[in-house]
């Protein structure tokens, strides 16, 4: 499975962006999909993730502003980002986690990243 992230760009503080992650294969088998971000000089951190059942989890810093959704029929996972702040500036990566096989092996997939820049 390959993940392709898109939707990044430059936006003013208070604005909105929608990121989309398209999978080359089915995402229905992914037990967990999410978005991570990495700002310059910082470690990659979880922004939000969503289970196959639709339960979402958010970093405290984005709660109430970001919303994650997945469409298993379209093989996409989107991140709606509202009320953006300069501190949201980072490269955003989509991520998928799949557990399969006789030994319940975990497979982790990463997209190539898309840059989000929020100006003050």
């Amino acid at each position: 499975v390959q993940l392709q992230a898109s939707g990044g760009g430059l936006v003013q503080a208070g604005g909105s962006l929608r990121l989309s992650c398209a999978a080359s294969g089915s995402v229905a088998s992914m037990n967990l999909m999410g978005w991570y971000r990495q700002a310059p000089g910082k470690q990659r951190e979880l922004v939000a993730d969503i289970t196959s059942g639709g339960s979402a989890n958010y970093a405290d810093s984005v709660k109430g502003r970001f919303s994650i959704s997945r469409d298993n029929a379209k093989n996409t996972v989107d991140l709606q980002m509202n009320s953006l702040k300069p501190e949201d500036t980072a490269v955003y990566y989509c991520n998928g986690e799949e557990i399969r096989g006789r030994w319940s092996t975990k497979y982790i997939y990463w997209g190539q990243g898309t840059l989000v820049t929020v100006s003050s």
Side-chain angles (χ1 to χ4, degrees):
V1 176
Q2 292 184 330
L3 303 178
Q4 181 76 30
S6 62
L10 173 64
V11 64
Q12 288 188 333
S16 298
L17 279 176
R18 187 176 183 88
L19 305 183
S20 184
C21 178
S24 61
S26 173
V27 303
S29 62
M30 302 281 185
N31 63 298
L32 190 68
M33 297 203 71
W35 286 92
Y36 287 70
R37 67 186 180 188
Q38 187 168 18
K42 295 187 177 181
Q43 290 188 331
R44 191 173 296 189
E45 63 176 1
L46 175 68
V47 176
D49 58 27
I50 185 168
T51 68
S52 56
S55 295
N57 172 58
Y58 298 92
D60 287 343
S61 59
V62 306
K63 281 181 181 177
R65 300 188 298 122
F66 290 12
S67 178
I68 189 171
S69 61
R70 65 190 284 174
D71 187 328
N72 290 339
K74 296 181 179 179
N75 295 322
T76 57
V77 177
D78 292 350
L79 185 69
Q80 178 65 42
M81 305 185 295
N82 299 325
S83 302
L84 283 161
K85 304 175 181 180
E87 50 264 42
D88 294 318
T89 295
V91 177
Y92 284 71
Y93 299 89
C94 63
N95 163 277
E97 178 182 300
E98 182 182 19
I99 297 175
R100 56 181 166 90
R102 178 179 181 182
W103 308 109
S104 297
T105 302
K106 182 185 292 185
Y107 295 85
I108 299 176
Y109 307 94
W110 290 96
Q112 87 287 5
T114 185
L115 177 62
V116 172
T117 303
V118 184
S119 62
S120 58

